[in-house]
Amino acid sequence: MSDETLYLLGQILGAVAVVTGFLSYQMKTQRGIIILQLTTGLIFTLHYVFIGAPTAIALNALGAVSCVFYYFRDKRGGKSIAEPIVFSVLIVILSLLTWEGWYSALIMIGLVFNTVSLTFKDPQHTRAAVFVKSPLCLIYNSIVLSGGGIIYECAVITSSVLGIIKHKRAESE
C-alpha cells in the first residue's frame, strides 16, 4: 500500500474512534466509560500507526492497557493510589522514549490527567476531567495533523458537557 493509502486508512480509523469516544462519555457507569475508552484507545493506536505519530502510538496503546487494568480492578472493588502513579510514570517514560518535540509534552500531560480521572469513583468527575485533558490533546493532534484526533477531542468535550447535564438532571429528578 502507498503512504497516501495508509494515511487515508489512518484518518478513517480516526473517524471510527471519534464515534466510540463520543459514546463513552454517555455511559451510565464508570465501567461502561472504561470499556468504550479501551475500544477508542485501540482504534486510535492503529490510527496513529498509519499517520506516523510515535508518541501517540505508545500512549494510546498504554491507555488501552490501563483501561483493561482499571476495569478488572474496579470489578474486584480494589483501589490504590499506586496504580495511577505507576501508569503516570509509564506515560512519562514512553513520552520521553518517543519524543517528537515540545508538543509531545502536551499529549503526555493530557493522558496523565486522563489516567488519573479513570480512577475516580464518580463518573461525573471523570466527565469533568476532560476539560483539562482534551485541550492539551487537541493541540497535539493539530500539530501531527490527526483529523480524527482533532474531531475526537472536540466531540469528547461536547459529549462530556451533554453527559454532565444529562446525569445531573437524572440525579435531581
Side-chain angles (χ1 to χ4, degrees):
M1 274 196 246
S2 73
D3 288 346
E4 293 165 358
T5 303
L6 291 175
Y7 184 80
L8 180 61
L9 180 58
Q11 295 298 354
I12 291 168
L13 285 170
V16 172
V18 167
V19 173
T20 59
F22 183 85
L23 293 174
S24 73
Y25 291 99
Q26 299 306 308
M27 302 306 293
K28 291 182 181 181
T29 65
Q30 185 71 357
R31 276 203 246 154
I33 291 172
I34 290 172
I35 289 169
L36 282 180
Q37 284 289 302
L38 165 65
T39 304
T40 302
L42 291 173
I43 296 168
F44 262 123
T45 298
L46 289 174
H47 160 73
Y48 288 115
V49 166
F50 289 128
I51 70 165
T55 304
I57 294 167
L59 297 186
N60 276 275
L62 178 62
V65 169
S66 72
C67 285
V68 172
F69 178 83
Y70 287 129
Y71 176 82
F72 286 108
R73 184 208 59 186
D74 289 350
K75 213 172 178 183
R76 290 189 325 266
K79 291 201 181 216
S80 166
I81 188 70
E83 296 149 347
I85 292 171
V86 168
F87 281 114
S88 295
V89 168
L90 289 172
I91 287 169
V92 171
I93 291 169
L94 287 173
S95 295
L96 295 174
L97 290 173
T98 59
W99 193 258
E100 299 168 80
W102 65 269
Y103 52 94
S104 290
L106 299 173
I107 193 169
M108 176 183 69
I109 294 166
L111 293 181
V112 164
F113 201 83
N114 189 60
T115 296
V116 172
S117 79
L118 292 175
T119 67
F120 297 163
K121 186 174 183 173
D122 184 349
Q124 287 290 71
H125 294 144
T126 302
R127 290 181 191 99
V130 162
F131 300 112
V132 173
K133 174 249 183 202
S134 286
L136 295 171
C137 292
L138 180 61
I139 296 166
Y140 173 88
N141 284 307
S142 297
I143 292 168
V144 299
L145 302 176
S146 168
I150 292 166
I151 295 167
Y152 173 76
E153 295 304 339
C154 292
V156 165
I157 292 168
T158 302
S159 180
S160 292
V161 169
L162 294 173
I164 289 168
I165 292 168
K166 177 175 126 181
H167 294 288
K168 192 70 168 168
R169 283 186 185 160
E171 289 172 5
S172 63
E173 290 178 0

